Amino acid sequence: MPWRNTKDPYKIWVSEIMLQQTRVDTVIPYYERFIERFESVLELANAQTEEVYKYWQGLGYYRRADNLHKGAQMVAFKYGGKFPKDPKEAKEINGIGPYTLGAVLSIAFGVEIPAVDGNVMRVLSRQFLIEEDIAKAKSRKIFEEKVMQLIGEDASSFNQGLMELGAMICTPLNPKCTLCPMKSLCQGYKKQKVENYPVKSKKEKSKIYEYKVLIIKKEDTYWLEKRPNQGLLANLWGFPLIEKEKWEQYRYLEEKAIHLPQTKHIFTHRVWEMEPIIIEEQELLDIKKELKLKKLFMNQNGGYFTNEEIDLLPIGTAFMKVVKEKRDHVERGKR
Ligand code: SF4
């Protein structure tokens, strides 16, 4: 992994933020592209948010990019571009939670501090038959204490070893126990109880939200708007999204619309089920002979864009699926 050959806290930080909620093999090309463009914390701090989003596009969970960017500005302007080594200072940086704090400080500077994430909790719970429910936030403390009992002078190697063990060997399903360098010490393996660990309560069921997505067309351009700076997909671009119940009263508008296949996007605790339609702007204006519908569906921060311009916008991952459906539809029309 490219971030394992460096002691540069900035690069370790970027990799750890990208790896949250995202698989290693997905992250590698994004990490390489990001670091090539934003080589140092100063480069990132001085970049425009839109460009940072562009390099994040496809990784999802854009709040991570936003925090990383703001955090880089803090390191650049408050600490003169040097990532602080002191945990008290470092944990004040945007987006640095206890795991990232531990990973960056231990790997880059050798600070003896735990870096406990889901992988590490899984390894330790199997090794020591720890019964704490890893889905509960308060359990982290128990695992951090365990790490502190075990960590030696080389905190960097210790934490990285645990992380790698969790990612490559002690996987959630079918752990490779026979290949594991820790098997002679692992109580779960010795007592054949690996399957029972970690203890993890079931996640709450995701809530489903149904939306009509309006792809409003004007000649060869399409309306996209910037989302508010709070909430899901904040500051990213997307199409107008109307809740299905609210849409009912406007369903008559669909008469002349083109229906695209339904798409779905899964967030951490919610699912968006989206039904995109392509509708000419004229239809919104003609039916009421006034601007009411336009005002209702299109926010102030929007504009009409060509396909080429859409490619350059930082678009929320959920909307990328709609963009793809729209593009496929246009391509089919050309054939
Ligand atoms: S022996 Fe198996 S369960 Fe124990 S740490 Fe290794 S991979 Fe995990």
Side-chain angles (χ1 to χ4, degrees):
M1 288 175 257
W3 49 85
R4 288 287 180 251
N5 303 321
T6 179
K7 292 273 181 196
D8 180 344
Y10 164 66
K11 291 181 182 159
I12 298 163
W13 178 21
V14 171
S15 72
E16 290 301 342
I17 298 294
M18 286 188 171
L19 284 165
Q20 290 168 9
Q21 327 266 0
T22 313
R23 291 162 52 93
V24 172
D25 44 356
T26 306
V27 166
I28 292 175
Y30 282 96
Y31 170 84
E32 286 176 334
R33 226 162 54 97
F34 195 91
I35 292 296
E36 199 180 305
R37 166 61 190 90
F38 309 110
E39 267 188 332
S40 67
V41 77
L42 293 176
E43 290 268 359
L44 180 59
N46 287 317
Q48 296 291 319
T49 311
E50 302 250 314
E51 195 188 5
V52 178
Y53 282 177
K54 194 68 206 158
Y55 276 80
W56 202 270
Q57 193 164 302
L59 272 175
Y61 303 100
Y62 279 82
R63 187 166 298 173
R64 296 181 298 173
D66 206 25
N67 279 331
L68 185 62
H69 188 213
K70 289 194 181 111
Q73 289 169 340
M74 190 171 173
V75 173
F77 307 129
K78 188 168 177 188
Y79 298 108
K82 287 206 166 68
F83 195 96
K85 203 171 159 181
D86 179 349
K88 279 201 202 96
E89 288 177 340
K91 75 172 196 221
E92 298 304 322
I93 296 170
N94 281 63
I96 301 264
Y99 168 76
T100 313
L101 180 80
V104 176
L105 295 192
S106 66
I107 299 172
F109 306 118
V111 177
E112 287 174 31
I113 183 172
V116 170
D117 67 350
N119 280 348
V120 169
M121 287 196 272
R122 183 173 60 252
V123 175
L124 293 176
S125 67
R126 287 173 175 168
Q127 287 249 330
F128 298 97
L129 303 183
I130 297 173
E131 300 286 342
E132 298 305 314
D133 181 352
I134 66 162
K136 293 195 174 139
K138 64 178 186 179
S139 302
R140 170 191 293 276
K141 198 115 208 78
I142 309 284
F143 290 94
E144 286 179 345
E145 282 164 15
K146 194 76 201 166
V147 169
M148 290 315 284
Q149 286 166 19
L150 301 166
I151 205 166
E153 279 179 11
D154 188 353
S156 170
S157 302
F158 180 84
N159 278 343
Q160 286 186 80
L162 262 185
M163 290 172 193
E164 302 294 300
L165 202 59
M168 317 297 291
I169 305 276
C170 196
T171 46
L173 296 174
N174 307 319
K176 302 170 190 71
C177 295
T178 49
L179 299 175
C180 179
M182 300 306 293
K183 65 177 186 260
S184 62
L185 299 170
C186 178
Q187 295 182 41
Y189 179 66
K190 283 202 256 181
K191 296 185 179 166
Q192 298 187 347
K193 286 185 171 177
V194 173
E195 315 275 274
N196 303 343
Y197 293 87
V199 176
K200 189 175 179 186
S201 54
K202 284 236 156 47
K203 263 212 272 174
E204 254 179 65
K205 247 186 151 189
S206 296
K207 201 166 170 205
I208 295 175
Y209 294 81
E210 295 179 308
Y211 292 112
K212 187 63 75 178
V213 183
L214 301 189
I215 306 174
I216 301 166
K217 186 170 185 282
K218 187 171 157 190
E219 293 162 5
D220 280 339
T221 60
Y222 301 89
W223 177 268
L224 278 100
E225 49 198 32
K226 194 173 182 181
R227 293 178 58 80
N229 59 6
Q230 297 283 330
L232 279 179
L233 308 180
N235 288 324
L236 294 169
W237 289 74
F239 299 103
L241 206 57
I242 321 290
E243 286 164 31
K244 282 284 273 296
E245 302 88 78
K246 272 201 197 146
W247 177 253
E248 276 310 310
Q249 56 185 309
Y250 306 110
R251 191 168 277 284
Y252 63 91
L253 286 171
E254 290 186 21
E255 264 174 40
K256 293 192 184 157
I258 296 164
H259 292 252
L260 299 184
Q262 185 169 332
T263 70
K264 188 190 243 193
H265 187 74
I266 301 170
F267 294 92
T268 315
H269 299 297
R270 64 178 69 197
V271 177
W272 280 7
E273 285 185 354
M274 298 176 287
E275 275 182 26
I277 55 169
I278 302 179
I279 187 162
E280 296 281 345
E281 187 206 44
Q282 211 48 39
E283 299 299 328
L284 297 183
L285 302 184
D286 279 356
I287 286 171
K288 289 276 178 180
K289 299 286 183 214
E290 50 169 302
L291 291 178
K292 186 172 165 229
L293 290 174
K294 191 174 171 190
K295 270 193 183 159
L296 204 63
F297 299 138
M298 297 148 91
N299 83 23
Q300 302 274 310
N301 292 325
Y304 282 101
F305 298 92
T306 61
N307 284 328
E308 292 72 32
E309 287 165 338
I310 292 173
D311 285 342
L312 299 173
L313 287 175
I315 293 173
T317 321
F319 290 109
M320 284 305 291
K321 297 178 182 175
V322 179
V323 169
K324 186 180 171 303
E325 290 299 345
K326 178 191 76 62
R327 189 162 296 155
D328 290 350
H329 167 79
V330 172
E331 288 301 316
R332 281 196 297 274
K334 284 185 192 160
R335 273 183 237 136

